[in-house]
Amino acid sequence: MIRLENISKRYVMGDVQVAALDGVSLEVDKGEFVVVLGPSGSGKTTLLNIIGALDVPTEGHVQINGGNMTLTNKVNRFKFRRETVSFIFQTFNLFPSLTALENVQFVLDMQPADKTKKEKRNGQANRARAIEVLTDVGLGERVNHFPHELSGGEQQRVAIARALATGNPVLLADEPTGELDFRTGIQILELLKRQAEAGKTVLVVTHNREISRIADRVIELSSGKIVSDGAPRGGKAEIADLQW
Amino acid sequence: MNMSFWLRWSWRDLRARWLQVLAISLIIALGTGVFAGLGGQESWRVDSLDTSTERLNMHDFKMELADGSFIDQTDLIAALDGIEGVAALEPRLIVPTLLDASTEDDTVLAQGQLVGVDVSENGPQVDSLYVDQGRIFTSDDAGQNVAMLELQFADINNVEVGTTLRISGDVELETVGIGQSPEYFAVVPPDNSFVFGEANYAVMFVPLSTAQRITDREGLINNVAFILADGADSAAVQAAVEAHMTASFPDTGLDFVTRDDDIGLTMLYSDAKNDQVTWDIVALMFLVGAALGAFNLAGRIVESQRRQIGIGMALGVSRFWIAFRPMLVGVQIAVLGTLLGLLAGIGLSSLFASLFRDILPMPYWETSLYMPGFIQATVLGILLPFAATVLPIWRAVRVSPVDAITTGNLVAKGGGLSWLANHLPLPGKSFMQMPVKNILRSPWRSLLTVLGISMAIILMTAFIGFLDSFVATLDRAEDAYLYENGDRMIVTLDRFYPETNGEIAAIRDLAAEDGSPLFAQLEIGLMLGGRLIDGDEDIDTLIELHDMDQAIWRPKLLAGELPTASDEPGIILSEKAADDLGVAVGDLVTLEHPRREGLLSFRLVQTELPVIGIHNNPVRALSYMDLSATNLVGLNDVTNLLVAKPAEGAQPDTIKLALMNQPGVASVQEIAEISESFEVIMDLFVTILQVVRIIVLFMAFLIAFNTTSINVDERVREISTMFAFGLPVRTVTRMQIFENLIIGVLGTALGLVLGWFALNAMLVARVEDQLAEFKFIVEISPETLIVSMVLGVLVVAITPLLSIRKMTRLNIPDMLRVME
Ligand SMILES: Nc1ncnc2c1ncn2[C@@H]1O[C@H](COP(=O)(O)OP(=O)(O)O)[C@@H](O)[C@H]1O
Ligand SMILES: [Mg+2]
């Protein structure tokens, strides 16, 4: 599903070169729930951004769904983001002037912009679908609230609903619990894990080792390099057993 | 906290926003420049008049001999010898003449005068000649048929050096120079006729002996110009001169004219002063516009730092330092604005100065940068950005830090008017609804944007509307004069003649060489000066009496009806006169007018007359009556005004020449010339305003562009998020265009309304006071409306296109990474 070959990302600032990623290779299969773990500054966000085609590597190849994504082509990157990946941000990045419902409907409305995908859906159907997704993430009662009227956890649920509504197969979540307290964070993780069980490929970035224990697979980064890849250290744990 | 840290930080702010800071500075600079440039008008004109009269040794007073009196020049000098307090005197011979300066391409016919001056030491020592083209007189010119033609007449009539001037008595003079004399900076024909003198009245300077020979007045003069010695008392010297004169020439009547009595000169000084009032209004409006524009933009820049201000507060940074960084934005704008303002001030000053130079007659100019205006504007330019930054800073520090730093909620604590959106049936997809919601979410910011754009439109409509109004007034005047029989000629007579007199018959019978009559129709009328009185108000008026039943031209009426001979006498007033007097058709006004009592004696009487009509000529002084009202003025069957309709095929110039040579004729004007002279009067305003219009357009564009550019900056994070979801650049651009379109439409609508208000309230109301003699037709032309809308709606709407590059280069990961 996702295949990275020898990816590097370097920033040059004056004489100093910072390697955010340094020769990273990895493969992620469909339906996997993968946690990317590492201390702050180890390159996690960079890795996620490259997978999500928000960013381009300095070196290396990215293959998604078997096809070699032409990274140099901006139009392709837009299309890829529209059709294949969906982002969930640490700071939510909801549109403040739109209600929860509208934030979700926004991405649904985007879809007809691409003619190859499905038949044109009408606004009414999109609205119904958005409510459905919001209900799925437990916000059925709050659809008409603006972001500033929602708690952090609720805002992140809206963000997840927005990502889910795209119907894209890959979810990329960068520190989705970073802004949240323990209990709320757990609920968000459960929500994400359920998506993997439903068949989506989910990549969750975190610097919290404890959280990584809920994953089937943990990729650990340090200074831009993969230092381990496999089952969580300290053994896999159920969400209920986590302690922050 | 150390200073260099904050300065460095602020330097980064500046680098990120330099374009906006530059644009605001430019707006301030333009305001400063226009203010300094227009503010200098009066002092420039007054200083230049002072300098010009000084350097050309203008007389302090002159002595004019009674009409038809001449004195021997040697006797005169002997008689006036040794009078204390006289520094210099200059005897002249001034005689009226007719001029034909026609060339093959161009016909120039005019009345005028020969001014014979001493040329022994390069021309007259008092009222010296300034040579614009050609050469100065030398002693060799004495007795030669050479002339220097007055500059303004030469300019308007395109007479060049070398042209042969034919004057009365079939004399030919060669134009050796074109120049000016302080005595004729403003040319006032001796009969004081209403028409703009410079265009129609030719002043020709010739060597004194030449003038004497041509006019057969060997050795004689009729006019002496005096310059007083330092500290001499003008009245005492005049008295001494008069005493010497009566002693030597007891039978010669004489009259003294001081500079203060000089209509032309006092008019130049008072015009400079009166015009300044108009320019002050224009400049002030402009500066206020620039100020508000800059205020708005600077305020928004600081507004966008509010969250950071909140963070600072949360960190316990002292209020001083919290205010420091946003205040530095103000400093940057102030510094840059002052520097650019100096450049713009100097540049625009010299631009305006050169316009004034072109239009106004003085040879020497003093047009240094007008410091008082520049300093005032600069002080404002410095204070303003501070004022603009203080308000948002104050707003920001009042917010509790907790609210200020709340994530995901940048500006508005509440949703603004977002709730409204839920009640509005908005059509379309969410990305076309989002622009509306964005506007509603932060009504304060939206309002600022709308105000910014409306400021640009207000400036546009007010200023260009002002210009439009001048043009509309000119058009109205042209329509009034020319709407029927536009080829007619107006002939004034030098006194009242019985209609049956030989002079009138001779004029009526004028024929071309082949014997065909020159006139298709010759109408006999009257022209009288008078005063209109209503309560405390009184207005000078010039009443023309025409036989309305068969007049060649009748006033075009806005209200009322033209009289017929059988009607009771009534008067047709100008719109402005009726307004000023507060009367309408049907009301009574008192007309004070001369009535003939004896053969040649007149008495002023007051007559109550009904207002029977309002005519459309913007000139307030013009009133009309039917010729049947001659009883009223005791002038039955006499005339001093003829209206002539040229016969088919008769050349206007032939007619004019023939008429000018007729005894009794005082002046001959094609009506089109009168209409044109009206344009010349307005020329100064129209020219300057045309320049102001370009500056206004530029400034309006700067404001509109900056307003939108700030908008894009504020949306950077939202835009990045949309890109992260793969929304194409063109959709995002479309959304922004749509948002701008709404803002632009609102701003333009508001701007047009306020602009119309500003035009009327600020410009016209004040200017009408200044131009009391004219009805100022307030109008915004369709072109102006279109340009305003194009600017306000189209330019604003498509500005996002200019940001496409900025958006496509946006580093999305970086933008999303930063928490703001
Ligand atoms: N635009 C940039 N310019 C220079 N260095 C950058 C830039 N973006 C990220 N980095 C560097 O790349 C490294 C990895 O950053 P990031 O992927 O955000 O780390 P993480 O998400 O693991 O905290 C960091 O050392 C960071 O300083
Ligand atoms: Mg990160």
Side-chain angles (χ1 to χ4, degrees):
Chain A
M1 175 88 214
I2 302 172
R3 206 178 130 86
L4 303 190
E5 260 174 50
N6 214 12
I7 295 289
S8 293
K9 175 80 186 179
R10 276 186 280 278
Y11 295 102
V12 184
M13 305 167 73
D15 338 324
V16 192
Q17 236 200 29
V18 181
L21 288 179
D22 188 2
V24 170
S25 301
L26 63 82
E27 258 178 79
V28 179
D29 287 334
K30 187 171 166 358
E32 261 191 295
F33 184 85
V34 179
V35 167
V36 179
L37 179 70
S40 186
S42 54
K44 309 182 294 293
T45 299
T46 309
L47 178 69
L48 211 64
N49 285 347
I50 286 174
I51 293 173
L54 266 185
D55 208 348
V56 284
T58 324
E59 279 164 32
H61 293 284
V62 182
Q63 255 187 10
I64 310 275
N65 281 345
N68 190 352
M69 188 168 64
T70 319
L71 296 167
T72 46
N73 184 329
K74 200 161 217 170
V75 175
N76 283 354
R77 292 209 296 275
F78 267 86
K79 189 162 142 61
F80 175 77
R81 292 202 296 271
R82 217 157 42 234
E83 295 173 2
T84 312
V85 296
S86 289
F87 281 93
I88 294 154
F89 305 97
Q90 178 176 3
T91 53
F92 323 139
N93 286 339
L94 296 177
F95 301 118
S97 63
L98 300 184
T99 60
L101 173 60
E102 289 160 348
N103 263 286
V104 177
Q105 199 184 335
F106 185 92
V107 294
L108 290 168
D109 283 347
M110 257 169 60
Q111 313 240 333
D114 177 32
K115 291 156 203 91
T116 62
K117 205 173 187 180
K118 297 166 195 160
E119 74 285 11
K120 201 170 167 138
R121 278 191 281 191
N122 65 40
Q124 221 37 50
N126 284 348
R127 191 183 150 84
R129 170 78 187 131
I131 294 176
E132 201 179 303
V133 182
L134 279 166
T135 311
D136 274 356
V137 300
L139 284 177
E141 305 290 301
R142 311 296 301 269
V143 292
N144 286 324
H145 287 245
F146 286 98
H148 65 87
E149 296 166 335
L150 299 172
S151 73
E154 286 161 344
Q155 288 187 53
Q156 194 59 296
R157 282 167 191 268
V158 178
I160 291 171
R162 179 171 69 177
L164 289 177
T166 59
N168 296 348
V170 181
L171 289 185
L172 302 171
D174 191 356
E175 313 252 11
T177 60
E179 295 268 309
L180 308 174
D181 62 81
F182 173 66
R183 280 181 51 82
T184 323
I186 296 263
Q187 286 163 5
I188 294 296
L189 286 174
E190 272 181 330
L191 194 55
L192 288 172
K193 196 156 184 213
R194 262 198 354 241
Q195 305 313 316
E197 283 153 13
K200 305 234 182 230
T201 309
V202 182
L203 265 85
V204 178
V205 158
T206 181
H207 57 264
N208 187 318
R209 183 169 299 279
E210 188 68 13
I211 288 180
S212 70
R213 290 178 58 203
I214 64 164
D216 311 312
R217 175 177 168 198
V218 177
I219 298 173
E220 212 176 326
L221 280 179
S222 177
S223 305
K225 289 194 171 73
I226 297 181
V227 291
S228 74
D229 183 351
R233 251 201 288 163
K236 192 171 176 215
E238 285 312 308
I239 289 178
D241 300 334
L242 295 184
Q243 0 189 294
W244 285 7
Chain B
M1 300 267 168
N2 79 31
M3 181 68 83
S4 72
F5 163 78
W6 289 93
L7 288 176
R8 214 163 47 237
W9 195 358
S10 181
W11 172 241
R12 276 179 215 154
D13 290 346
L14 179 63
R15 274 205 318 218
R17 293 196 173 279
W18 68 271
L19 204 62
Q20 285 157 9
V21 168
L22 182 73
I24 300 172
S25 309
L26 213 57
I27 291 167
I28 291 180
L30 287 176
T32 318
V34 170
F35 193 76
L38 291 179
Q41 189 258 182
E42 180 183 356
S43 70
W44 289 344
R45 278 166 78 173
V46 168
D47 291 353
S48 304
L49 270 172
D50 289 348
T51 309
S52 298
T53 51
E54 166 102 36
R55 291 184 58 177
L56 292 176
N57 304 317
M58 186 178 184
H59 63 260
D60 288 305
F61 65 87
K62 58 189 176 183
M63 181 177 75
E64 296 174 349
L65 302 190
D67 265 357
S69 306
F70 300 90
I71 294 178
D72 185 82
Q73 116 193 43
T74 335
D75 295 350
L76 176 102
I77 289 174
L80 296 182
D81 190 37
I83 296 179
E84 209 169 310
V86 174
L89 61 82
E90 184 84 41
R92 293 103 51 103
L93 176 64
I94 301 176
V95 285
T97 190
L98 291 177
L99 167 66
D100 178 355
S102 306
T103 58
E104 278 178 14
D105 316 323
D106 207 3
T107 310
V108 180
L109 289 171
Q111 286 155 312
Q113 59 185 209
L114 280 184
V115 181
V117 293
D118 178 42
V119 292
S120 53
E121 284 162 66
N122 285 339
Q125 303 307 309
V126 180
D127 292 332
S128 306
L129 300 177
Y130 171 88
V131 186
D132 191 74
Q133 294 148 53
R135 64 174 178 83
I136 189 119
F137 288 131
T138 67
S139 46
D140 293 343
D141 289 321
Q144 303 298 310
N145 281 11
V146 290
M148 172 178 283
L149 186 59
E150 193 273 325
L151 173 68
Q152 298 171 77
F153 179 87
D155 265 1
I156 295 170
N157 295 290
N158 300 314
V159 183
E160 287 165 4
V161 171
T163 307
T164 302
L165 308 174
R166 280 173 300 279
I167 58 168
S168 306
D170 264 338
V171 176
E172 294 196 345
L173 302 171
E174 188 202 343
T175 313
V176 295
I178 287 173
Q180 286 177 280
S181 150
E183 210 174 344
Y184 297 98
F185 285 159
V187 178
V188 182
D191 66 344
N192 256 333
S193 57
F194 171 72
V195 192
F196 186 71
E198 286 80 0
N200 310 297
Y201 195 76
V203 177
M204 288 159 278
F205 303 95
V206 292
L208 182 55
S209 49
T210 308
Q212 289 167 336
R213 178 172 52 72
I214 293 170
T215 57
D216 227 358
R217 309 266 180 209
E218 294 295 342
L220 300 179
I221 57 95
N222 62 354
N223 190 300
V224 187
F226 292 84
I227 290 183
L228 293 168
D230 277 348
D233 174 53
S234 181
V237 175
Q238 283 170 47
V241 169
E242 192 167 5
H244 282 243
M245 287 297 290
T246 20
S248 306
F249 314 101
D251 300 331
T252 309
L254 46 85
D255 200 11
F256 290 98
V257 181
T258 64
R259 280 202 204 184
D260 289 344
D261 303 330
D262 189 317
I263 303 175
L265 192 69
T266 39
M267 197 177 70
L268 286 176
Y269 275 104
S270 66
D271 277 359
K273 191 167 175 170
N274 291 337
D275 286 1
Q276 188 60 49
V277 179
T278 305
W279 295 132
D280 280 349
I281 297 162
V282 170
L284 196 71
M285 270 279 296
F286 198 87
L287 190 61
V288 168
L292 290 180
F295 187 87
N296 179 288
L297 295 169
R300 288 188 60 193
I301 289 185
V302 175
E303 195 78 16
S304 67
Q305 290 188 359
R306 272 181 64 190
R307 202 171 117 79
Q308 300 189 36
I309 292 173
I311 295 170
M313 280 161 53
L315 293 173
V317 179
S318 75
R319 271 165 202 260
F320 172 81
W321 287 115
I322 286 182
F324 189 76
R325 183 170 150 239
M327 287 292 260
L328 275 180
V329 176
V331 176
Q332 290 158 356
I333 294 171
V335 169
L336 207 57
T338 308
L339 288 178
L340 292 174
L342 189 64
L343 291 179
I346 292 169
L348 289 176
S349 265
S350 61
L351 176 64
F352 286 125
S354 76
L355 292 175
F356 285 123
R357 276 164 199 253
D358 282 352
I359 298 166
L360 295 167
M362 288 81 78
Y364 298 109
W365 281 87
E366 299 286 333
T367 53
S368 49
L369 181 61
Y370 178 62
M371 280 324 261
F374 178 74
I375 290 168
Q376 280 169 26
T378 303
V379 168
L380 197 66
I382 291 173
L383 290 182
L384 213 83
F386 283 108
T389 44
V390 164
L391 186 71
I393 292 172
W394 181 73
R395 262 168 59 91
V397 293
R398 266 185 343 151
V399 177
S400 87
V402 183
D403 290 333
I405 60 176
T406 309
T407 322
N409 174 19
L410 305 185
V411 186
K413 161 83 172 109
L417 301 174
S418 297
W419 53 269
L420 206 60
N422 290 344
H423 299 283
L424 290 177
L426 295 172
K429 292 267 158 46
S430 40
F431 7 101
M432 286 306 139
Q433 296 180 357
M434 192 147 147
V436 182
K437 289 170 178 163
N438 274 336
I439 290 167
L440 290 173
R441 168 175 53 120
S442 39
W444 172 250
R445 187 176 64 182
S446 305
L447 185 69
L448 282 177
T449 318
V450 167
L451 284 178
I453 288 160
S454 63
M455 206 58 236
I457 304 300
I458 290 170
L459 283 171
M460 291 267 312
T461 35
F463 282 102
I464 303 184
F466 195 40
L467 182 60
D468 288 346
S469 302
F470 271 99
V471 172
T473 306
L474 289 174
D475 287 350
R476 170 79 84 85
E478 195 178 286
D479 180 51
Y481 285 118
L482 301 182
Y483 85 98
E484 72 175 340
N485 287 318
D487 60 347
R488 70 187 185 281
M489 290 186 174
I490 308 296
V491 182
T492 60
L493 305 177
D494 54 9
R495 60 182 174 83
F496 295 106
Y497 287 87
E499 284 174 24
T500 50
N501 242 38
E503 282 90 347
I504 308 299
I507 291 171
R508 197 187 297 279
D509 295 340
L510 282 174
E513 277 172 14
D514 63 2
S516 60
L518 285 181
F519 305 122
Q521 194 185 341
L522 188 77
E523 182 199 335
I524 282 170
L526 272 176
M527 186 166 68
L528 297 167
R531 262 185 339 137
L532 293 162
I533 304 169
D534 191 84
D536 313 335
E537 297 282 339
D538 72 285
I539 290 172
D540 287 332
T541 183
L542 190 76
I543 315 148
E544 280 183 26
L545 291 85
H546 294 276
D547 181 357
M548 298 291 178
D549 290 334
Q550 45 186 325
I552 292 174
W553 170 90
R554 281 159 277 246
K556 197 171 179 179
L557 296 192
L558 299 169
E561 275 179 37
L562 286 170
T564 58
S566 53
D567 289 344
E568 285 298 299
I571 191 164
I572 298 167
L573 300 182
S574 66
E575 199 181 358
K576 184 78 191 307
D579 284 353
D580 289 353
L581 294 170
V583 295
V585 172
D587 293 345
L588 290 175
V589 284
T590 304
L591 176 67
E592 187 181 81
H593 60 91
R595 174 186 286 156
R596 187 164 69 161
E597 304 271 294
L599 185 61
L600 276 173
S601 65
F602 286 84
R603 199 161 66 87
L604 280 180
V605 297
Q606 296 196 343
T607 309
E608 278 225 317
L609 286 172
V611 177
I612 54 171
I614 307 288
H615 67 78
N616 72 338
N617 197 308
V619 178
R620 180 175 75 165
L622 299 177
S623 303
Y624 301 95
M625 292 176 75
D626 189 75
L627 196 59
S628 59
T630 45
N631 282 328
L632 213 63
V633 287
L635 288 168
N636 292 320
D637 306 322
V638 295
T639 179
N640 68 344
L641 173 73
L642 304 174
V643 183
K645 181 169 168 51
E648 196 135 339
Q651 286 305 309
D653 296 321
T654 319
I655 299 178
K656 223 170 152 182
L657 193 60
L659 278 168
M660 279 181 179
N661 282 312
Q662 280 303 304
V665 170
S667 73
V668 184
Q669 295 281 304
E670 289 174 63
I671 194 70
E673 289 174 337
I674 297 180
S675 173
E676 272 164 33
S677 67
F678 201 86
E679 262 171 52
V680 179
I681 296 172
M682 299 271 185
D683 192 33
L684 181 69
F685 290 99
V686 172
T687 313
I688 303 273
L689 282 174
Q690 255 152 4
V691 173
V692 172
R693 167 168 72 172
I694 294 166
I695 303 172
V696 165
L697 258 174
F698 180 53
M699 180 140 113
F701 175 77
L702 279 179
I703 294 178
F705 176 75
N706 224 20
T707 302
T708 341
S709 151
I710 291 177
N711 234 15
V712 172
D713 279 1
E714 284 171 350
R715 292 282 151 74
V716 140
R717 197 173 163 80
E718 260 178 72
I719 293 168
S720 300
T721 307
M722 291 183 215
F723 285 167
F725 276 89
L727 199 62
V729 178
R730 76 187 119 82
T731 311
V732 175
T733 308
R734 220 185 303 140
M735 286 167 69
Q736 287 187 312
I737 288 179
F738 187 52
E739 185 173 337
N740 276 21
L741 195 68
I742 298 170
I743 296 271
V745 167
L746 290 175
T748 306
L750 185 67
L752 285 176
V753 172
L754 294 181
W756 175 252
F757 178 77
L759 173 65
N760 277 282
M762 307 292 296
L763 296 172
V764 176
R766 299 300 307 277
V767 168
E768 261 185 349
D769 287 350
Q770 292 305 309
L771 297 176
E773 291 299 321
F774 301 102
K775 168 73 188 176
F776 201 62
I777 315 282
V778 186
E779 190 180 288
I780 292 181
S781 70
E783 287 85 0
T784 305
L785 282 178
I786 291 169
V787 174
S788 294
M789 289 202 257
V790 165
L791 184 88
V793 179
L794 228 64
V795 170
V796 173
I798 62 177
T799 322
L801 293 180
L802 299 176
S803 335
I804 286 184
R805 216 171 87 96
K806 191 170 177 175
M807 286 198 292
T808 51
R809 291 167 143 213
L810 206 65
N811 188 329
I812 309 169
D814 285 0
M815 285 303 137
L816 290 170
R817 187 188 297 273
V818 180
M819 294 243 301
E820 229 290 290

